Amino acid sequence: DIQMTQSPSSLSASIGDRVTMTCRASQNITKFLIWLQQKPGKAPKLLIYAVSSLQSGVPSRFSGSGSGTDFSLTIRTLQPEDFATYYCQQTYSTPLTFGGGTKVEIK
Amino acid sequence: EVQLVESGGGLIQPGRSLRLSCAASGFTFGDFALNWVRQAPGKGLEWVGFIKSKASNGATNYAASVKGRFTISRDDSKSIAYLQMDNLKIEDTAVYYCTRVPNWGQGTLVTVSS
């Protein structure tokens, strides 16, 4: 199975900050990597697919990068509605594993 | 508008069975694969399994933690996917979501407890 490791597990940031979180795969997953945002009590929402492609309707302050085994999600200017937990998931091979999540909290 | 609506969750005793449904609308259901993902209380996301479209032979694939106990099926005429869960364990307690990229349902809570 491919293990997905996210870091940090949580971070505190202020409105307007630039925030970056990382996701590492235990083997090469090429570009089969998505990012999801989940708010408390809600279903996850797809933000980015294929490492860096922005899902329709997602603000352009979100961006993804990376390839192979190392990936990152950046929020350029943190907004109040961005406080949430973010998950990466590899869709390269089954089982389709998720990272443990990065919780973005208000400083 | 794409909608996925899960139902069938509830409180169930260990060892019993439960069937979840995922009713879809807003897209050609039969053309797409569907995944089930679960989330235990306070925990992260766990992929449960998927079913491919009939064009891809309706192939299924499951996480090791549920293989042999859970079965995913689909009724394209009704635009519904099912998750049959047998021999339920306490550790199966979770919110269960169905997903069709990029859409997710609202989830249904399954609580396995005596």
Side-chain angles (χ1 to χ4, degrees):
Chain A
D1 296 3
I2 298 175
Q3 309 302 316
M4 304 299 290
T5 303
Q6 286 186 245
S7 61
S9 57
S10 66
L11 64 91
S12 296
S14 301
I15 302 300
D17 283 354
R18 178 187 178 95
V19 168
T20 297
M21 60 197 77
T22 64
C23 176
R24 174 166 287 177
S26 61
Q27 65 187 73
N28 187 352
I29 58 171
T30 63
K31 293 185 74 69
F32 290 88
L33 189 280
I34 69 171
W35 289 95
L36 300 154
Q37 176 195 63
Q38 187 179 32
K39 296 180 179 179
K42 300 294 186 182
K45 171 188 171 183
L46 179 65
L47 296 177
I48 287 172
Y49 61 94
V51 177
S52 59
S53 296
L54 202 63
Q55 175 63 23
S56 175
V58 174
S60 60
R61 63 180 179 273
F62 290 92
S63 64
S65 64
S67 67
T69 60
D70 293 309
F71 306 91
S72 63
L73 174 69
T74 296
I75 309 173
R76 191 175 64 244
T77 308
L78 199 65
Q79 297 299 303
E81 59 268 31
D82 300 336
F83 291 97
T85 300
Y86 294 84
Y87 294 95
C88 62
Q89 183 195 19
Q90 64 83 15
T91 59
Y92 180 79
S93 67
T94 56
L96 306 180
T97 43
F98 292 89
T102 293
K103 186 175 183 179
V104 177
E105 299 174 302
I106 300 173
K107 181 184 283 186
Chain B
E1 179 194 6
V2 172
Q3 280 202 312
L4 298 167
V5 180
E6 302 93 337
S7 60
L11 176 62
I12 189 84
Q13 293 177 325
R16 302 290 294 268
S17 297
L18 197 64
R19 189 179 78 164
L20 306 183
S21 299
C22 171
S25 60
F27 64 100
T28 305
F29 182 80
D31 288 351
F32 292 90
L34 287 153
N35 286 266
W36 286 92
V37 173
R38 68 184 180 181
Q39 186 169 37
K43 301 297 184 182
L45 301 168
E46 180 187 16
W47 175 76
V48 172
F50 68 61
I51 185 165
K52 293 188 175 181
S53 66
K54 286 291 195 294
S56 299
N57 297 316
T60 55
N61 200 300
Y62 301 94
S65 58
V66 307
K67 195 170 186 178
R69 299 188 300 121
F70 289 14
T71 304
I72 301 172
S73 60
R74 63 191 300 156
D75 185 337
D76 291 348
S77 68
K78 296 181 180 178
S79 297
I80 298 178
Y82 301 100
L83 178 64
Q84 176 69 38
M85 304 185 293
D86 298 324
N87 188 22
L88 280 159
K89 303 177 180 182
I90 290 174
E91 53 265 37
D92 294 320
T93 294
V95 174
Y96 285 75
Y97 297 99
C98 68
T99 87
R100 184 227 73 164
V101 179
N103 308 99
W104 290 62
Q106 85 290 348
T108 187
L109 176 62
V110 173
T111 303
V112 184
S113 174
S114 54

